Structures are given as C-alpha cells and as structure tokens.
Amino acid sequence: MPSARRSAAFDPISPDLDLDALVQQTPNFEYVTRISCDMIETQGLDTFEKLVLLHVIIGGKPLVIEGFHKRLDEWTFTSGWLQDNHGKKFEQARNLSKQSNMTVSIGHYLNNIGKLTNQWNRHNYRDRDRQRLYLKDIDCPEVWHDKLREVIPPNVFYLNDSTGDVGGPASVDEPNPYAPGLRKGRGVARAGDLMSCLPPAMRAENLMCYIGHEGTYTPAHREMCASLGQNLMVETSGTLDLDGKPTKPGSSIWFMTESKDRHLVSEYWLSTLGHDIEIEAHFAQINAWKSAPFKTYIVDQKLGDFILIPPLAPHQVWNRGTRTMKVAWNRTTVETLELALDEALPRARMVGRDEQYKNKAMVYFALDRYSILLKHVDHQARTGAQQHLAQPLAYSPKIRQLQKDFRRLFSLYTKLLLSEALPHNPRDDKKIQYLPFDSNVTCSFCRCNIFNRFLTCPTCVVPLQNGEEDTYDICLECYAMGRSCRCISGYRWVEQFKWQELAEKHERWRQLIIAFEGGLSDRSPLTLHMERQYMTKKPLAQVCQEQLKLRPWNDPKKPPPGPKMSKDADESRVNVNGEISPKKKKPQVIEKGYMKNHVSNYPEPIWKLGVFMEDPDWQCPHCRRICSCGKCRKVAGMQPYEPTGTVLGYDTRRVADPRSTESLVDFRQSNFDWVKKAGDDLPAGEETRRLSRRFDEAEAAKSQGDALDGNHYVDEGGDTSMTNGHAAGSTDGQAEAASPTAQASPDDIPIDPLLGGLPPAAASNSRPTSHMQAPRDADAVHDSENEDPPFNFVAPSAVMLDQRHLGGGFTTDANGIVFQYPDPTDPDSTVPQYAPPQVEQRPQPSSGAQSGKKRKQSDVLQTELLDPNEANELYHKAQVKRTLMEARRNNRYIIAEAAMSGKSLSVKLKVDKGKLAHVVSQPPRENTQPPPRPKPSTIIVQSDYPSPSDKKPIPDPLKRARVEQDNDFTNRSKRKKTNKTLQPNDTHKPSKYMEISSESEGEELVDVDETHTEKEEPRPRPLPAYLARKNDVGDNEIPKELSSEPKQRPSRRKGTLVESAVTDRPSPNIGRLRDSSKGSKEPVDEEARVAEANRKAKLRAMQWDQDDSDENGSDSGSPREKQVNGAKHKTPAPQPSSVASLRNGSSSAPSKRTTNVKPGGGPRSIFSRGKKVRVVSALDADKRRSLGS
C-alpha cells in the first residue's frame, strides 16, 4: 500500500513576506538571470536563439526576459477586456482548499476576485477552510494569441514551424496576404516547436491562461513530457482598480531549480519531504527550500516578465496581490523528445499520468516533414540558375542544423521500431489486426499514447450507451511490467501502421542521411535488420509475445485460484492415550506449476518467478552474491544490494481502468523497510547515502560545462568541418569542440547593465555540509562586505513559521519543516491526535569490559538523536496547555492531566449509604455552559452556473403561413369596418397569416390578422373633452369615465332587448360573471363560465340568422343560400317565444316568422339553409386569446 510515513504538510506563505530579505539571508537562494527584451533586437534573433539553447536547454537554468508589457496592447490585455468579451464563458476553477473544481463564469470570478484577496492577512493566512479559487488551464482568447505572435520572438512562440529567416536559404515565394502579389518566405530551418509537425487534429492545444489571487498556487511539478515552458505575465493589479477601488499589487513568486539537479530534487522530495514530485500534489514550504542540498532560483514575476523554464526542472509558483493574469505554453524540441522517451514517460507511466503530447507520433511526423524540406534543398541545389547557388545551401548553418536534428530524430525512430519488432513469422503476421492511426488510442492502465503496436483483450469489452465499445488496450511497457486486465492473457495484437510501410520509410530516410553526409561511412546508420542483430536484449514486443504464451488465461468473472498444498503437510498425529504428538517436519508438497518465492518463501506460480525477461543472460541476485533477503544476509561473502533511491509507492487504481490488475509486482509497496535494513534511514537533517549519491551525480553533470556537442549542433562562428556535406580529415565533434565559441560562460549572456540585476553566480562545486551543523544564531551570520555568507547557513525556523497557528497532528523537525502523519494525499488516512513527546535517551558510552567485544549490527545502526530545539519545545508546551484548557471546560482536567503525564491514581472515599443513595437518585446535572458559537462561513464565491431547475422552458416559436380570407368566417367587428364588396376580378384580397406551432401538429389552427399585436387588459374608456369640461363646471351627474360593460342595443321590435332572451332561462352564474367584469375579486366557477359563454354564442348565431331573413324578405319556406357581405346593418333581437321554440325543437309557441319552419312543420334549423355558420365554444375562444397574446 502507499507509504504511511510522515510527509511534509502544506504551509502557506505570509502576505507580508519580504522576498528580498529572504534571498539575501538564505545562502542557497539566488535570483534568476534577467535580460531585457530590447537586447533581443540589439543582439539579433540568432544570438537570442543560441542563448536559449546554451543557458536554458543545455545548461538547464531558468531565464527571465523583462519589459514585454511595454509592447503589449494596453487595452486588450486587461481584465476589463476579458470580462466584456468572455465574461459569460464558464470555466472550471480549482478550489485548492477542498481539492475540487467549481464551475464559474469568467466575469463572476473577476467580479469577486477582490473579496477572495481581502480575506487574507498575516493572522489568518494559515486558515485551511478559506477559499483559494484558481482559474487555471483555461483557453487563451484568439485575439490574445494573434497579438502575442507579433510581440514574442518567433523561435520561442507557440507552434512555431520554422526558425528560418525571411528570404533565407532555400526560401520560396509565397502569396502575400496583405497585398497583391508574392513575397519572400522563410528559409528552410528546423521548427521551434515540433508539435507543429503533427496534423492539426492531433496537436495538443496547450496555450493556456492562468488567473489567480492572493494565496493561490501551483504545486511543485515538472513540465509535461520534459517540454520547455514559457510563461508571460500579461496583466496584474495595481493600487487602484478600474472602478477606483483600492487593490493590492499583483505578482508571482517562483521557486525554481536546474535540470541537472532533477534527480537530487526528486530524491529530496521522496526521502525528506515524503512526497512524489511526479504526482504534483505538494507545495513545498520555504523552510524545505532553505534546507535543500541544492540551489534554488527565485523569481518575483511582475508585469511583462517572460520566464523560460528548462526541461525536467522542478518548480512551483505562489500568487500574490489582488490579480495576476498569465499566458503559458509549452514547446517540444529534439532535446526534449530524447528526455521524454528516456526519462519522463517511464516516470509518468509509474504514476499513471496522462500523456497528451504524443511524443512517439511526433518523431514519425517530424521526420516525414524534415525529409520533405531536405529534398527541397537538394532539388534547389541541383537545379539552381547559377552554379554558385549550391555553395550557400551546402554550408548554411540553418540547413546543417536541420540535418543534425534529422539524424537525432532518426535514432529515436530506430529505437521505436526495434522495441516493437517481432520475430518474422508469416502466420503471426496474419493474426495482427490493423487499425488506422488516428492518435486516439491510449493505454487503459497508464494512459500513455500508443504509437503503433499494442495488445487488446477480446473478453473485456464493455458496450457504451452511444453504441460504441470500450475495449481494454494495454501498451507493451505495461504488459511487460505485469499490468493487465483480470484475464492476464489471451490478448490480440493490433497495429496502427503496416510494418512494411514503417520499414520502407526507415530505409528511405537512412539513404537520405547517407546522401547529405557525403556517402557511406563508419558513422552512417545501419539497416533495421542489422540493428536488430546487434541488440544484446530482447525487443519489448518479443518479451510480450513470450509472456502471452506463459501467462494463463483467467476468467474475470471467477476469483483467481490460490496456491494448493498437500493435505499431509498440516496433519497431526494422536497416540493411543489420545495425546497429540509433536508434528514431524515434512517438506511441503506444492502443486505442480507452483514454486516457493526466494524472498517471501511463499508458493507462487512459476510464470511469476521469471522477473527479468529482457536480458537472456540474466542471473538471479543470489548467484551474483547481492541478494538482500534475510536468509542470504547470513551467508558469508554476501554483499546485500542497497537501494539507490526511495520508492513511496503509488496506488494507480485511482487513475487506471477499473478492469486493471497487477500480476507480477505490487507497485503500491514502498521500500522503506529495505532502506532501514540497509541502515540508510537517518534522522531528519542528516544526509543519507541516497542523497549523497544523487548529489555526486549532479555535480558531475555540472562539471562537464554547457558545451555544444559537435555531433548535435552547428556553431555559426566558423565551423568548417564539413566540405560538401562530408567530414574531411576529422569528425564533426572534434571541429566543433575546437571552436572558441562552443563553450558557454556567464560572460556570454547579454545582460543589460541598466537592469541592476544580480549576475549569475559561478557554479560552486563544493559540497554543502550537514545542515544539522549549521549555526542557528544571529551572531553566526557574516556581516563583512568582502566575505560571502557560508553555504550551510540556515535562518531560524521561527522567523518563517509561527508555531502558534498550527493545529494538532503536526510536528516540526530540526530544520523547521512542518510534517503531518500520515500522508495527506491519501484519502483513507487520518490525522492522529496529540501524543506527548517522548525524548529518547542517548546511549551510554560502553564500559571498558565491553570495549573489546564485537559490536552488534543494532549498535552500528543506532544513532543519536538531538534534543528538540526551542521552537519545538514552545510548540509542545502550547499544545499541552491548549489541551488542558479544553479538558477543564469539559470537566475532565484530572483525567486529561493524568493521561498526558502517564500517571494513575485510585482514591477510596467513605460515604454514608443514605447520602450515596440520595446522590445517585439525583438527575444528572445539565451542562450550563453556553453552546459553542457557530463558525462563520468562509465561502465567498459560489458557482453561478445555472442549475437545470432554474432553466425556464423556451416556448416553441410559431410559424406564420399566408392563407386566403374567408368572409363567411369573418367576425362581425371586421364586417362593420368596411362597406367594400370584393369584385370577382379583384385579385387584391386581404391577406392573413396562420400561426402554427411545431408541437401542435394535428390540432385546430388559429388564424390571426397580419397586423397582430399583443392583447391588453380592457381599460375604462375616457370621457371626451367636452364632457370632461362640463364635469369641471360642476355637473356631477356626468360620469368621469364610460362603463366597461357593452351597451345593450334596442331591438327592432319595441320593448325588447337581446338580454330579454337570456331572461327566459336565467343562469345562476350570470350575476357572478357581471360582477367579475366590474373588477370583483370573487372566484369564478370555470365550468359555469364556459357554459354561459357557449349559451350566448348560440343565441348570437341564431340572432344573425333572423336578421338575414328579415333583410332579404323571404316569404316561402324553401331554403335559400345567402352570402354575407360587409355592409352595415342592424340585427334585431328575436322574440322569446321563437327562441324557446328553436331551443326546445317544437312549434308550440306562435311565431310570425315562417323562414325557420320546415315545410312539413316543426322548427327549421339554421344549418339547413346552407348558411356557413361557425359555432365557436368558449374553450376555443380562450385558446385563441392566449395565442393572440
């Protein structure tokens, strides 16, 4: 399982930190070298490119270029522009306090960034519950990308595809996008970022923005896949905001290291701090950096500072002030590709870190593009208009450097093909499945990108909801390590490129190298077949092929079988008297296919014991006399193997596919027990042999200098080793090494003297002494101006760490580093409660009688522990006092003090039985202490992302269709407005629209006018002006406003009203309906309202029919078809008797109208006359009103 050893805790940086004083007082702190961006124009891009190569890539040291804020657009690179143009865009903000993500909009985050900053002060900056929201890894706006491309030097910008000069060697004319005609293009040269060689769909977009406030940070990490990092501060807060509000000046503190110290830094993180730097989960304390055995480079990044980060160099960032806005990107070069394939990818594979840069595919596509450029150069050299044009192309430094990079990429490509080479077998070749390469196949265990060949399990296939299948694919490296699904075996081979195609391109590119090197020589690359014969180890693909045959297939639905032993091994005998006789030692009989493990003495399958499968001449540690197991340590002449590094162990189940398992080695185990047996587990502050070994390696790498290797680089200062592309008399390495400018020194760095910065200090090869021997008082600091302070000086820990703010479960070591036990990154771990400090006694000196005896191994491993320093004593006293005060409040002071001091006391009291019974019968006394005050909430910013419940349904828009007007279905109000009758030849008919909803297909359509307006609530009609004037004179009988009720029209028949027809059958809801029309708030019965409205509609339809009959003067009872025109007419009200007869369906009541009576007698229906009458219910009318509004 992962390590349960103590690990360094997170200790924030105070807002009041004096960075200049810290750097001056700490001997292993040093400011990063700075140059001005104006020096790039003065020295030229070629000199700047050489500086980056020598100082950053080869030297492995960071570099700062300042002054870019003067060239940036001051209106675009601001928080106001970002809020106006991208404020509504939602991003994932990282809550560093809770280690979770929060969805917020950029505008919401920028509006509250001042509140997030003002919450911190020097008293509460260690509060773990306060919000630390960091808007990181968000997409950079396209406008920013275009403007940065005009400012940043092209050789270090994002996705640079050529570092050649405009009009340089082998350049061609290209279309001018700004003017008609052609313009000179860039000359042939290597790419500044090999990511540009990939197809656009395969590129990893890593141009990101970072917006942070006071207290946000980025843990210690290394750039992904050993790439080069670029980080530019584009905007910071000043003393006042745009709104005039006071703000705190923004900046970022960087703690950086060298690339050559990377192994030393990694071992220091593992052995001393208890964290793995590959996981990127720990922000190291300042005391940890001060106590480190390596040099730390400090950068106070401000507005316009452009930082170049060397490959594989660990660093961390702390943001200060109200607002910091940075733009960052990564670049990949040939040097970083070599580091990635040899070192970065194997380390990332152990912890399951996602690979996004497709490094193996980048090698293939970069070779393909470089080969096209080199063929173009050769074509121009052969077909030039003049013969002298071939000379500059052959000796051009840009082209020669391109050839050297092509040679290095070809070596990487050869290694990739050799690792995937299988023994030639036509039968096996036919079984390999072909899958076209799309760069999206990743390993299900380690999540690395797979270039060509891999293994897939046909059994563990999970169907997805979208119809696709989730297959289990494993890379060759993981399968050789014992990682696989639960099937373990039974995999199928899959390749994404035809092997014949890859082999043909390898031979084609090999011939190209031989051509530009001047012919075949001893340095020429070998064919793929010859390279395979010279290999001393088996290819990785062959190892996997052999293991597929050895490893058994397991059913994932059944548990794996365990070791089986014979029953005789556990039998015990019983004599005649029934007594159990002692067991006789018999050798355990293990089932066939199993064998005891040499270290654990536990039966294991035989296929698991073949640990090392790559070297055919491999020998076990026992045969090599280096076995470190307990049994072999007792053998004379055995020299146990000692671990060279620390392994914490990492549980990959958090990131790997849930179907995964580890069948050979459990990589969750740490090697601390092994380190203890080797005697290298020393107390804090003492340098272990593991650190000493890493320190020697780093010093040896630094002693080699930052020279340009002639086999890999071209020096433009006068390298003439190649004549017509071939070495004449000497190799490239000898000629390049003899160049006077091939050696880099601090004096070669073009530092602007006006900057006033510190020049780079000379590399010190002296080994730092143990930090436990460093002076810790102020008198030990050298105040002389001519003498530098000693390297082993360590500032007092109490200066940077206030012990009073620490809670329980934290301890400090001799160097002032705060530790927490167990691992804080383990979700299953818990922080232990307080335990009294136990001071171990120093061993007594041996007496004279024992001085001559041989010392035991335990005596050799026993070390002396120093007394705790003053800071630790103060911390423990304060913690004990705080615990006792809390126990006193809970009436547990005596128990707590006895438990902390390790004392026990039994007191016997004589109490009267009656009094005791009275005390026992009393109810328990309630706690009279006031309840604890609720802790104030520390949440300042919450997500403004709308929840699904807040989203209102958007109504479906109505579609409008033009239809012809039907006069028969036109309402009366329309007929009253016009007296014009349409003529037969009149084609200009009034057009109308019909509104159709997409969800109402098949329902009744509603027609509306072309000039459709939203209906408003009926309002009282105002009085005319002359009536209003009369009202002002004093006529109180005139109303101030007209009635909202419709006026009752008199019938043609005297003494009758339309309403009289209603009185024959009064409705109980008529009064309620009238009251509601006057503004009454009394509830209306819906069914009664609909019934009354339907009744009125029928009466109105019958009244129209009677009006038409009276106007036409019909005398006979034969039906006649009438057409309703738009002329004005008055409709008389029918008699009650006639209405009743129509309603009852009989002719009992006398009537003067004969048009409504059938010829055979009885009432005549209005529908029998051929009249087109539409009876509309109240429900349809309501629906029409709602759609119209």
Side-chain angles (χ1 to χ4, degrees):
M1 61 180 298
S3 169
R5 189 173 176 171
R6 70 172 189 173
S7 53
F10 169 67
D11 187 35
I13 297 178
S14 174
D16 300 335
L17 173 67
D18 189 354
L19 187 61
D20 293 335
L22 176 65
V23 175
Q24 294 177 5
Q25 295 176 3
T26 310
N28 61 331
F29 280 11
E30 180 181 313
Y31 279 116
V32 175
T33 302
R34 285 177 172 264
I35 64 173
S36 174
C37 61
D38 298 333
M39 297 296 295
I40 300 177
E41 297 181 355
T42 304
Q43 302 285 340
L45 287 177
D46 294 338
T47 305
F48 174 71
E49 184 178 356
K50 183 178 180 181
L51 170 65
V52 174
L53 176 64
L54 289 173
H55 188 79
V56 181
I57 300 178
I58 299 178
K61 299 176 182 178
L63 180 66
V64 178
I65 308 168
E66 61 181 8
F68 277 104
H69 63 284
K70 301 177 182 178
R71 306 185 179 185
L72 296 176
D73 186 5
E74 59 181 0
W75 301 106
T76 304
F77 293 93
T78 60
S79 59
W81 183 93
L82 189 64
Q83 189 168 4
D84 294 340
N85 294 272
H86 300 273
K88 297 182 180 180
K89 184 180 179 181
F90 288 93
E91 297 287 354
Q92 293 292 328
R94 184 65 176 174
N95 190 348
L96 300 175
S97 301
K98 303 297 182 182
Q99 294 298 316
S100 60
N101 294 331
M102 177 188 298
T103 304
V104 296
S105 63
I106 297 179
H108 182 65
Y109 180 82
L110 292 176
N111 290 334
N112 295 274
I113 197 170
K115 299 179 182 178
L116 294 170
T117 303
N118 296 332
Q119 65 176 334
W120 302 107
N121 52 51
R122 61 177 182 175
H123 302 291
N124 64 355
Y125 71 95
R126 282 195 172 91
D127 193 350
R128 298 176 178 271
D129 297 331
R130 296 183 179 271
Q131 281 187 324
R132 301 177 187 268
L133 290 183
Y134 196 9
L135 202 60
K136 58 187 301 186
D137 295 331
I138 64 175
D139 296 333
C140 179
E142 189 68 22
V143 178
W144 286 15
H145 169 268
D146 297 339
K147 291 186 176 295
L148 287 175
R149 183 171 52 188
E150 302 173 358
V151 177
I152 303 299
N155 58 329
V156 294
F157 191 61
Y158 177 63
L159 291 180
N160 174 261
D161 57 352
S162 176
T163 58
D165 301 327
V166 177
S171 61
V172 295
D173 296 336
E174 59 183 16
N176 190 353
Y178 306 103
L182 301 177
R183 68 176 184 180
K184 280 292 183 180
R186 290 188 176 273
V188 174
R190 64 175 181 174
D193 186 4
L194 292 181
M195 183 73 70
S196 61
C197 299
L198 290 175
M202 301 182 186
R203 297 172 183 173
E205 298 180 0
N206 54 30
L207 184 64
M208 300 296 178
C209 292
Y210 298 81
I211 307 176
H213 59 86
E214 176 71 46
T216 56
Y217 60 90
T218 300
H221 67 285
R222 296 189 278 201
E223 296 299 324
M224 182 177 292
C225 300
S227 58
L228 289 165
Q230 287 78 212
N231 192 291
L232 174 64
M233 182 76 77
V234 297
E235 202 266 347
T236 58
S237 58
T239 57
L240 292 177
D241 203 351
L242 297 177
D243 300 334
K245 299 180 181 179
T247 57
K248 299 179 181 179
S251 63
S252 297
I253 303 177
W254 290 63
F255 298 85
M256 311 183 72
T257 59
E258 298 184 42
S259 297
K260 297 180 180 180
D261 287 335
R262 59 184 182 275
H263 300 297
L264 178 61
V265 176
S266 178
E267 181 59 34
Y268 177 74
W269 241 252
L270 292 168
S271 60
T272 305
L273 303 182
H275 292 276
D276 192 350
I277 203 169
E278 299 294 337
I279 303 177
E280 303 181 5
H282 176 63
F283 183 86
Q285 311 163 24
I286 292 183
N287 286 334
W289 291 100
K290 293 164 63 176
S291 304
F294 48 82
K295 184 180 296 184
T296 302
Y297 294 90
I298 305 297
V299 179
D300 189 10
Q301 187 184 18
K302 297 182 180 180
L303 182 61
D305 288 350
F306 184 42
I307 301 179
L308 301 181
I309 307 167
L312 290 179
H315 57 279
Q316 67 181 24
V317 187
W318 182 271
N319 296 321
R320 308 178 74 183
T322 302
R323 184 178 60 257
T324 58
M325 299 173 58
K326 299 185 283 287
V327 177
W329 64 92
N330 293 78
R331 294 188 302 119
T332 303
T333 62
V334 179
E335 297 83 3
T336 62
L337 272 181
E338 293 176 345
L339 293 175
L341 296 178
D342 296 340
E343 185 175 344
L345 290 183
R347 289 178 176 269
R349 187 177 293 112
M350 294 299 299
V351 298
R353 186 180 181 184
D354 189 13
E355 179 195 357
Q356 300 179 1
Y357 288 176
K358 304 176 180 62
N359 293 271
K360 295 181 180 180
M362 206 179 300
V363 174
Y364 174 80
F365 285 99
L367 280 172
D368 194 14
R369 184 183 178 194
Y370 280 8
S371 63
I372 296 175
L373 294 177
L374 291 175
K375 290 179 181 179
H376 172 69
V377 171
D378 182 69
H379 176 73
Q380 282 202 353
R382 293 176 181 273
T383 60
Q386 299 178 2
Q387 188 66 24
H388 68 277
L389 293 177
Q391 288 295 109
L393 292 180
Y395 287 95
S396 172
K398 297 283 187 181
I399 296 179
R400 290 175 54 198
Q401 185 61 51
L402 177 65
Q403 295 173 353
K404 291 182 179 293
D405 286 359
F406 185 83
R407 176 67 183 266
R408 297 175 71 176
L409 289 171
F410 182 79
S411 301
L412 297 177
Y413 180 69
T414 304
K415 293 181 180 179
L416 294 180
L417 292 187
L418 292 177
S419 64
E420 298 183 358
L422 288 171
H424 180 65
N425 189 352
R427 295 182 178 179
D428 295 339
D429 296 342
K430 294 180 180 179
K431 296 180 181 179
I432 300 178
Q433 179 184 356
Y434 174 71
L435 178 68
F437 179 77
D438 59 354
S439 74
N440 294 326
V441 180
T442 57
C443 178
S444 299
F445 201 106
C446 68
R447 303 190 299 172
C448 72
N449 186 263
I450 299 177
F451 169 63
N452 184 26
R453 285 180 172 173
F454 61 95
L455 298 171
T456 182
C457 181
T459 305
C460 300
V461 178
V462 179
L464 302 177
Q465 295 181 356
N466 56 1
E468 299 181 356
E469 294 180 346
D470 184 14
T471 58
Y472 189 90
D473 305 327
I474 195 76
C475 65
L476 303 183
E477 291 83 359
C478 284
Y479 191 76
M481 295 165 58
R483 296 174 169 179
S484 63
C485 64
R486 294 181 179 88
C487 297
I488 299 180
S489 185
Y491 286 80
R492 294 179 182 175
W493 286 93
V494 184
E495 64 180 8
Q496 304 181 73
F497 291 94
K498 294 293 185 180
W499 184 259
Q500 186 65 24
E501 176 186 354
L502 297 178
E504 289 178 357
K505 287 193 174 183
H506 181 275
E507 180 62 24
R508 191 184 311 152
W509 293 336
R510 190 183 74 89
Q511 295 295 336
L512 183 61
I513 294 175
I514 295 175
F516 65 67
E517 284 186 350
L520 192 65
S521 63
D522 297 338
R523 298 180 60 254
S524 300
L526 301 178
T527 61
L528 189 62
H529 180 68
M530 297 182 64
E531 292 281 2
R532 174 70 180 86
Q533 292 181 348
Y534 284 114
M535 289 183 64
T536 58
K537 297 181 180 180
K538 299 179 183 179
L540 189 60
Q542 184 178 352
V543 171
C544 296
Q545 188 181 39
E546 295 175 355
Q547 290 299 310
L548 283 173
K549 300 177 181 179
L550 294 177
R551 300 179 187 180
W553 181 83
N554 294 333
D555 190 352
K557 300 181 181 179
K558 297 180 181 180
K564 298 181 180 179
M565 293 191 241
S566 63
K567 297 181 180 179
D568 298 337
D570 296 336
E571 289 183 355
S572 58
R573 297 184 178 183
V574 181
N575 56 15
V576 181
N577 299 328
E579 299 176 354
I580 299 176
S581 60
K583 296 180 181 180
K584 294 183 179 181
K585 294 183 179 180
K586 288 186 178 181
Q588 294 182 352
V589 181
I590 305 176
E591 188 182 358
K592 184 179 180 181
Y594 286 83
M595 185 179 293
K596 284 187 177 181
N597 193 325
H598 177 72
V599 179
S600 64
N601 202 24
Y602 185 79
E604 294 281 356
I606 296 178
W607 60 269
K608 287 188 177 182
L609 301 182
V611 179
F612 205 86
M613 302 159 287
E614 191 177 18
D615 190 0
D617 300 329
W618 176 79
Q619 293 181 352
C620 68
H622 179 78
C623 299
R624 297 169 59 187
R625 315 296 293 176
I626 59 172
C627 184
S628 59
C629 67
K631 185 185 298 183
C632 295
R633 285 178 180 271
K634 302 177 183 179
V635 179
M638 187 72 65
Q639 297 180 357
Y641 178 79
E642 181 178 333
T644 58
T646 306
V647 177
L648 291 180
Y650 183 71
D651 190 1
T652 55
R653 291 179 296 181
R654 305 176 185 176
V655 294
D657 193 285
R659 298 167 286 182
S660 304
T661 185
E662 294 176 344
S663 56
L664 288 182
V665 181
D666 188 3
F667 291 97
R668 295 175 296 173
Q669 301 291 338
S670 63
N671 66 343
F672 283 138
D673 294 338
W674 197 355
V675 170
K676 290 180 181 179
K677 291 180 181 179
D680 200 20
D681 189 23
L682 302 180
E686 295 189 15
E687 192 175 274
T688 61
R689 293 191 294 273
R690 290 162 290 161
L691 278 175
S692 300
R693 189 181 295 109
R694 299 300 184 190
F695 184 86
D696 295 339
E697 294 174 358
E699 293 300 324
K702 295 176 184 179
S703 63
Q704 296 178 1
D706 304 333
L708 290 176
D709 186 5
N711 295 325
H712 296 159
Y713 301 102
V714 174
D715 182 23
E716 302 180 15
D719 178 21
T720 57
S721 60
M722 296 185 65
T723 303
N724 294 330
H726 181 63
S730 63
T731 62
D732 290 348
Q734 296 174 352
E736 298 279 0
S739 176
T741 60
Q743 186 74 19
S745 62
D747 298 335
D748 298 334
I749 302 175
I751 302 177
D752 190 356
L754 300 178
L755 298 179
L758 298 177
S764 175
N765 296 329
S766 60
R767 187 185 187 88
T769 58
S770 176
H771 300 296
M772 298 299 297
Q773 302 173 0
R776 295 193 174 273
D777 51 352
D779 298 336
V781 182
H782 291 247
D783 296 331
S784 176
E785 298 181 358
N786 299 327
E787 184 176 1
D788 296 332
F791 185 77
N792 57 2
F793 170 77
V794 178
S797 59
V799 175
M800 295 305 305
L801 181 63
D802 189 0
Q803 309 290 346
R804 296 173 296 176
H805 294 283
L806 295 177
F810 296 91
T811 58
T812 56
D813 66 349
N815 296 326
I817 304 176
V818 183
F819 285 89
Q820 182 179 0
Y821 182 91
D823 190 357
T825 61
D826 190 357
D828 300 331
S829 63
T830 56
V831 179
Q833 300 299 325
Y834 170 77
Q838 299 178 359
V839 181
E840 185 176 350
Q841 300 294 335
R842 297 191 181 187
Q844 300 294 334
S846 58
S847 59
Q850 296 179 351
S851 59
K853 294 183 179 181
K854 185 178 180 180
R855 300 180 62 185
K856 297 181 181 180
Q857 183 70 13
S858 59
D859 297 335
V860 176
L861 299 179
Q862 187 175 8
T863 57
E864 297 183 359
L865 297 179
L866 299 177
D867 294 334
N869 55 13
E870 183 179 358
N872 283 336
E873 292 179 359
L874 293 176
Y875 165 67
H876 289 305
K877 289 181 180 180
Q879 194 172 21
V880 170
K881 184 178 180 181
R882 184 166 54 252
T883 305
L884 292 178
M885 290 178 62
E886 184 178 359
R888 186 186 296 275
R889 288 194 298 266
N890 297 331
N891 298 326
R892 297 181 64 257
Y893 179 80
I894 299 177
I895 300 176
E897 185 183 18
M900 296 176 66
S901 59
K903 299 178 181 179
S904 61
L905 180 62
S906 300
V907 180
K908 187 178 291 186
L909 300 177
K910 293 181 180 181
V911 183
D912 187 24
K913 294 182 179 180
K915 192 172 183 179
L916 180 61
H918 176 72
V919 172
V920 173
S921 62
Q922 295 293 331
R925 185 175 58 180
E926 297 181 358
N927 190 6
T928 58
Q929 296 182 358
R933 295 182 180 178
K935 190 174 182 180
S937 177
T938 57
I939 299 178
I940 298 178
V941 178
Q942 294 183 351
S943 176
D944 61 335
Y945 188 77
S947 60
S949 60
D950 297 339
K951 295 182 180 179
K952 298 182 179 180
I954 301 175
D956 191 18
L958 296 176
K959 301 178 181 178
R960 306 180 69 121
R962 186 181 299 273
V963 296
E964 293 184 0
Q965 182 179 1
D966 191 352
N967 295 331
D968 293 338
F969 291 91
T970 306
N971 52 23
R972 298 178 60 190
S973 61
K974 294 294 181 181
R975 291 202 303 267
K976 293 179 180 180
K977 291 182 179 180
T978 177
N979 295 326
K980 180 181 179 181
T981 304
L982 295 177
Q983 302 297 330
N985 56 356
D986 190 0
T987 58
H988 299 281
K989 298 181 180 181
S991 60
K992 303 182 71 174
Y993 285 95
M994 181 174 294
E995 295 186 356
I996 305 173
S997 175
S998 61
E999 296 181 356
S1000 61
E1001 186 175 356
E1003 299 180 358
E1004 184 180 0
L1005 302 180
V1006 181
D1007 54 325
V1008 297
D1009 293 335
E1010 188 174 9
T1011 58
H1012 175 71
T1013 57
E1014 185 177 358
K1015 290 187 177 181
E1016 299 180 354
E1017 295 294 333
R1019 298 178 181 178
R1021 291 176 293 175
L1023 292 175
Y1026 72 95
L1027 293 179
R1029 287 194 297 269
K1030 288 183 178 181
N1031 193 15
D1032 294 338
V1033 173
D1035 192 355
N1036 297 328
E1037 297 180 357
I1038 302 177
K1040 296 183 179 180
E1041 59 184 12
L1042 298 179
S1043 175
S1044 61
E1045 295 184 358
K1047 184 177 181 181
Q1048 296 180 348
R1049 296 178 291 104
S1051 177
R1052 289 186 180 182
R1053 307 188 186 277
K1054 297 181 180 180
T1056 60
L1057 295 174
V1058 176
E1059 199 65 35
S1060 62
V1062 183
T1063 59
D1064 293 346
R1065 192 177 179 181
S1067 174
N1069 296 318
I1070 292 179
R1072 186 180 302 177
L1073 289 172
R1074 292 175 180 174
D1075 295 340
S1076 64
S1077 64
K1078 296 180 181 179
S1080 175
K1081 297 183 180 180
E1082 183 180 357
V1084 180
D1085 189 2
E1086 183 68 19
E1087 295 181 0
R1089 188 185 66 82
V1090 173
E1092 180 65 23
N1094 291 337
R1095 191 176 65 85
K1096 289 184 177 182
K1098 292 180 180 180
L1099 292 175
R1100 190 177 297 111
M1102 289 185 291
Q1103 182 67 36
W1104 294 347
D1105 182 63
Q1106 292 178 1
D1107 293 343
D1108 295 339
S1109 300
D1110 294 340
E1111 292 176 2
N1112 295 327
S1114 178
D1115 297 333
S1116 64
S1118 61
R1120 298 175 58 187
E1121 293 184 2
K1122 309 291 181 180
Q1123 291 186 359
V1124 181
N1125 54 23
K1128 292 185 179 181
H1129 62 277
K1130 295 184 180 180
T1131 304
Q1135 295 293 335
S1137 59
S1138 63
V1139 175
S1141 64
L1142 289 173
R1143 190 180 300 160
N1144 299 329
S1146 62
S1147 58
S1148 57
S1151 176
K1152 297 181 180 181
R1153 299 283 303 266
T1154 59
T1155 55
N1156 290 337
V1157 181
K1158 293 183 180 180
R1164 184 171 182 173
S1165 174
I1166 61 175
F1167 301 101
S1168 62
R1169 302 176 45 134
K1171 180 72 176 178
K1172 296 182 180 180
V1173 178
R1174 183 182 184 187
V1175 180
V1176 183
S1177 64
L1179 291 177
D1180 296 337
D1182 293 342
K1183 185 187 299 184
R1184 198 163 48 202
R1185 293 192 195 99
S1186 62
L1187 290 177
S1189 61

